[in-house]
Amino acid sequence: MLQLNYIRENRDKVIERLGVKNFKELGLVDEIISLDELRRKTQSESDSLSAEANAAAKQIGDLMRQGKKEEAETVKSLSSGYKEQVKQLTEKLSEVEQELHNKIVQLPNLPHSSVPAGVTAEDNEVIYTAGDVPSLDEDALPHWELAAKYDIIDFELGTKVAGAGFPVYKGKGARLQRALINFFLDQAAEVGYKEVQVPIVVNEASGFGTGQLPDKEGQMYHVGQDDLYLIPTAEVPVTNMYRDVIVKAEDFPIRHCAYTPCFRREAGSYGAHVRGLNRLHQFDKVEAVQIVHPDQSYAVIEEMCKYVQGLLEKLELPYRVLRLCGGDMSFTAALTYDLEVYSTAQKRWLEVSSVSNFETYQANRLKVRFKNEEGKMQLAHTLNGSALALPRIVASLLENNQTGKGIKVPAALVPYTGFEYID
């Protein structure tokens, strides 16, 4: 959530940056400023009348002690009027504050100055490419056919048990999943992330805190009777561990990683681009989260991006890094890097990680604060990144490493899988 004083003091800049994100409801900015002026005016009137009511109460006591009962009754009548007006102003103030809140949460985060203008994924900026795309035979198979050939992932069985988008992993496919999870967690621990195991359901306050609510409720599975949501990513419960917490500046950077299944009710579509593991309703992911000093967050996002690149290099996957344009960024992010791996059999790039800096947007909702050097409360910056999401990693590993002998497992994973080939 944007900070109200920043909107008020930087109206033109806010409108300009929202334009980079292709936000269409720019009139909300002036509505918010007008409501804030009304809020402050109402608060001032209420404070003034409360002061008069308090003075009148003191005066009544003085007059009663002096035996001036008639004058005291006159002042008492005035005091009752003050109290009624204060009550009315308090009710008005509550209504104005609620309306102001409802409007300010509709504003997305402002994009960083480095974010390129653009509307769709076609406008994203490729900033780095690494690795060699393997050369496969013309009869190379896409991962869904490889999964059937080696009996390692059963999409039809998953549909029977739950529905489309919920695959069943079998045999070496299940072991590959477990190997990747353990590999990612071990790698995170080596560079200083503290592992946590968190709930895979969250309450409404948690969904609001990280920005999934009220923006993305249609994409989340809702448990109606208990008013809980299945998490779309571990970012939500991990970051919410610090909701309403005053952290210590000396503890920065706060770094956590977590493995969870993730659930997304993404709108269904058809075709090869969503076939197999390309888009699922349930998938496994290891998430990295950092809470940092505002002065360090842009150095941290570069470090987090490099870390994910290192994972892809250890898995021997060709990849590229994109800086997302304003129109392709999430509601809450100020800067996002997407990392994509090349799927050779499908002949296209697949997103496997997003690394984002939210600046104070989430922290303002969560009230994650610290005392700065001057002893004043200040909002922290939050960041997160997939490190990594499994489905498209598995898809690329299967497709890129298919050989006449079977699917070759990258050397870094062999100690975790216990086998070198899926055959």
Side-chain angles (χ1 to χ4, degrees), residues 84-98:
E84 180 59 30
Q85 291 179 69
V86 169
K87 179 183 176 183
Q88 293 174 1
L89 285 170
T90 300
E91 292 173 353
K92 179 181 178 181
L93 183 62
S94 178
E95 291 173 2
V96 171
E97 288 177 338
Q98 185 60 54

Side-chain angles (χ1 to χ4, degrees), residues 4 8 20 73 82 114 127 181 191 203 261 271 274 303 374-375 388 396 414 419:
L4 186 54
R8 184 173 61 242
V20 173
E73 290 298 327
Y82 291 146
S114 65
I127 59 175
I181 292 165
V191 296
N203 55 31
V274 296
E303 168 243 301
E374 299 172 352
L388 283 158
S396 297
V414 172
F419 51 81

Side-chain angles (χ1 to χ4, degrees), residues 9-58:
E9 295 167 7
N10 300 275
R11 172 192 176 275
D12 292 345
K13 183 176 181 181
V14 168
I15 290 174
E16 183 268 326
R17 297 314 296 165
L18 289 175
V20 173
K21 238 180 183 180
N22 295 291
F23 183 68
K24 304 302 182 186
E25 305 297 326
L26 296 177
L28 269 175
V29 175
D30 285 333
E31 290 179 32
I32 288 166
I33 292 172
S34 295
L35 280 169
D36 182 46
E37 290 173 353
L38 178 58
R39 178 189 65 84
R40 289 187 293 159
K41 179 183 176 184
T42 305
Q43 183 69 67
S44 178
E45 291 175 1
S46 179
D47 291 344
S48 179
L49 281 170
S50 293
E52 291 188 37
N54 291 335
K58 183 178 183 300

Side-chain angles (χ1 to χ4, degrees), residues 319-335:
Y319 70 90
R320 67 181 186 179
V321 182
L322 291 80
R323 182 185 287 115
L324 298 195
C325 70
D328 199 35
M329 289 174 63
S330 75
F331 189 83
T332 52
L335 175 65

Side-chain angles (χ1 to χ4, degrees), residues 153-168:
I153 308 171
D154 195 322
F155 296 100
E156 291 184 4
L157 185 56
T159 301
K160 172 185 175 181
V161 172
F166 297 90
V168 172

Side-chain angles (χ1 to χ4, degrees), residues 96-111:
V96 171
E97 288 177 338
Q98 185 60 54
E99 186 177 1
L100 182 58
H101 172 81
N102 291 343
K103 289 188 181 295
I104 201 169
V105 297
Q106 295 178 48
L107 294 181
N109 201 358
L110 304 180

